[in-house]
Amino acid sequence: MVLTDKLGRSISYLRLSVTDRCNLRCVYCVTKDFKFIPHPDILRYEEMLRLIGLATSMNISKLRLTGGEPFARRGFMDFIGEIMSRHEDIDLRITTNGTTIKNVVPDLKKIGVRRLNISLDTLNRQTFKEVTGKDHLNDVLATIESCLSAGIKIKINAVAMKGTNDKELGVFLDFARKNPVDLRFIEFMPMGDDTQSDRQFWSADDILLQAKEFANLIPAERTPDNRGPARMYTIENGKGRLGLISPVSSHFCGTCNRLRITSDGQLRTCLFSDRTYNLRNILRNPKLGDDQLLRVIAAATRDKPLGYHLLESRSGNEGVCTTQMSSIGG
Ligand code: SAM
């Protein structure tokens, strides 16, 4: 079975949030009145493994584990190990803030993790504290270093914020020159109710223009490793690359191949849409089996919206959806 929608987009990528808890409180991610999902509603790992099994049976070949902070959930390393032992061919990725994992990098490597996305919005310790609420910049840098020594590939994601990290473009490019990482700026998306994104929005085109003042950038070839939504550039005389992700100014809805499942088992077919499908109730109903889950996932996928319509129809600086990113997972 292959999952496709009415527009002919086929789905091959699942993003699964394992928790909405996080040790950081990033300004763009957690809204003021956020409420944690009650513990009983969070899926157990066995329930997530069942969903992953179903996803692979529907030809989903890429799985990203995210959060909240995925490594903040107890038993997460064993969970990854279990996924790898059941699905050795799966293209497993993890998105993390990298603050707590420098000592487990060798174990990650042993389990078979080959790539990590690490969120890092600034290379300045004070700004890091202001953005995340915690003084963990050096821990993240140590994680990146351990991963690179262990041979784990690193993508760094920085949310582009005018007035916060726009003055650091030169420093970031130096970092990417010295380190073999993909450093990607992602446009600030208006998620949740009290979004600050309009005030701080810094477009991918502006970033590119400004980056060219610091480096000679050459558009990178499209390779199997470079097929995602990021526009990638190699940096002359550099080991790393610059990437720009523009979900707001230049959407990539037409090629979207993703589904998301939140940690409480809600299927979201579009990041920008609040429409969810409750898989948890089906998972926990002993009278309903995998066939019912498959039916709901397939029907939901058929109606997968084009998120840019939702972006365009919002008024003023309101959020595109009411759900904050920390409970969706990015
Ligand atoms: N805790 C992990 C981390 O920090 O990477 C995973 C969860 S975090 C929600 C996933 C990604 O969402 C991060 O790369 C973060 O920078 C991005 N993100 C969160 N809110 C965003 C927003 N409003 N606009 C753009 N990116 C956002």
Side-chain angles (χ1 to χ4, degrees):
M1 179 180 179
V2 180
L3 278 173
T4 47
D5 73 2
K6 279 184 196 148
L7 303 169
R9 294 176 292 182
S10 45
I11 302 300
S12 55
Y13 179 10
L14 173 65
R15 299 173 67 103
L16 175 65
S17 171
V18 301
T19 177
D20 64 334
R21 271 52 171 188
C22 186
N23 58 329
L24 303 184
R25 293 285 177 272
C26 298
V27 287
Y28 47 76
C29 190
V30 182
T31 55
K32 268 188 234 120
D33 304 321
F34 78 97
K35 287 194 184 66
F36 287 124
I37 298 169
H39 272 296
D41 289 350
I42 303 276
L43 296 187
R44 295 187 296 276
Y45 282 134
E46 303 86 76
E47 292 171 319
M48 292 186 177
L49 286 165
R50 188 170 155 202
L51 290 175
I52 294 168
L54 288 174
T56 56
S57 77
M58 292 182 281
N59 274 326
I60 287 183
S61 54
K62 178 171 169 181
L63 171 68
R64 177 171 303 284
L65 302 175
T66 177
E69 172 49 37
F71 287 93
R73 180 161 176 182
R74 196 173 305 158
F76 183 62
M77 294 291 284
D78 290 340
F79 178 56
I80 311 171
E82 191 57 36
I83 294 172
M84 295 307 284
S85 73
R86 292 188 192 191
H87 307 284
E88 56 181 22
D89 292 334
I90 204 158
D91 179 1
L92 178 74
R93 318 273 175 117
I94 304 171
T95 301
T96 173
N97 61 36
T99 55
T100 60
I101 61 169
K102 60 176 183 263
N103 296 329
V104 301
V105 167
D107 297 326
L108 283 172
K109 176 79 182 176
K110 226 180 280 161
I111 295 172
V113 173
R114 293 199 298 269
R115 298 158 190 278
L116 282 184
N117 281 17
I118 296 184
S119 300
L120 179 61
D121 308 307
T122 172
L123 292 167
N124 176 292
R125 196 166 159 191
Q126 182 55 32
T127 312
F128 189 98
K129 274 198 252 177
E130 284 160 18
V131 171
T132 68
K134 294 276 172 63
D135 184 13
H136 280 316
L137 173 62
N138 289 334
D139 297 312
V140 183
L141 294 176
T143 297
I144 293 173
E145 209 178 301
S146 321
C147 287
L148 293 177
S149 330
I152 294 179
K153 285 193 175 169
I154 295 295
K155 288 182 181 169
I156 294 177
N157 290 334
V159 177
M161 290 173 283
K162 246 191 199 149
T164 300
N165 55 12
D166 53 337
K167 299 286 174 289
E168 285 185 54
L169 198 47
V171 181
F172 267 123
L173 281 160
D174 273 345
F175 188 85
R177 232 182 236 112
K178 288 185 196 129
N179 297 284
V181 295
D182 277 357
L183 169 67
R184 295 130 37 105
F185 280 95
I186 175 159
E187 288 176 347
F188 195 158
M189 293 181 270
M191 306 294 291
D193 280 333
D194 55 356
T195 176
Q196 301 290 310
S197 76
D198 291 81
R199 203 167 44 77
Q200 291 194 277
F201 187 72
W202 184 23
S203 75
D205 284 349
D206 281 353
I207 299 171
L208 181 60
L209 214 62
Q210 290 166 35
K212 285 180 176 166
E213 292 170 19
F214 297 100
N216 196 7
L217 300 171
I218 304 128
E221 258 176 61
R222 285 269 171 203
T223 59
D225 209 23
N226 174 25
R227 272 188 316 214
R231 276 184 278 157
M232 296 304 304
Y233 297 86
T234 55
I235 302 169
E236 196 174 64
N237 300 324
K239 295 180 181 168
R241 304 190 298 179
L242 174 72
L244 299 164
I245 308 179
S246 53
V248 180
S249 67
S250 172
H251 67 85
F252 30 85
C253 298
T255 54
C256 182
N257 60 352
R258 306 165 177 202
L259 292 181
R260 292 174 169 80
I261 299 178
T262 56
S263 56
D264 55 345
Q266 306 302 310
L267 173 69
R268 284 179 88 96
T269 56
C270 171
L271 178 60
F272 290 155
S273 169
D274 277 324
R275 173 102 199 252
T276 57
Y277 302 80
N278 192 334
L279 301 182
R280 187 186 69 239
N281 282 352
I282 306 175
L283 278 166
R284 292 186 179 173
N285 184 336
K287 293 195 184 126
L288 300 176
D290 286 354
D291 52 335
Q292 181 68 13
L293 283 166
L294 289 169
R295 255 201 305 279
V296 169
I297 295 170
T301 301
R302 265 195 298 282
D303 285 338
K304 183 175 159 64
L306 286 166
Y308 77 93
H309 286 318
L310 302 166
L311 255 188
E312 282 171 355
S313 61
R314 77 194 181 107
S315 55
N317 59 0
E318 68 181 13
V320 62
C321 58
T322 57
T323 324
Q324 60 182 27
M325 199 71 114
S326 60
S327 50
I328 306 175

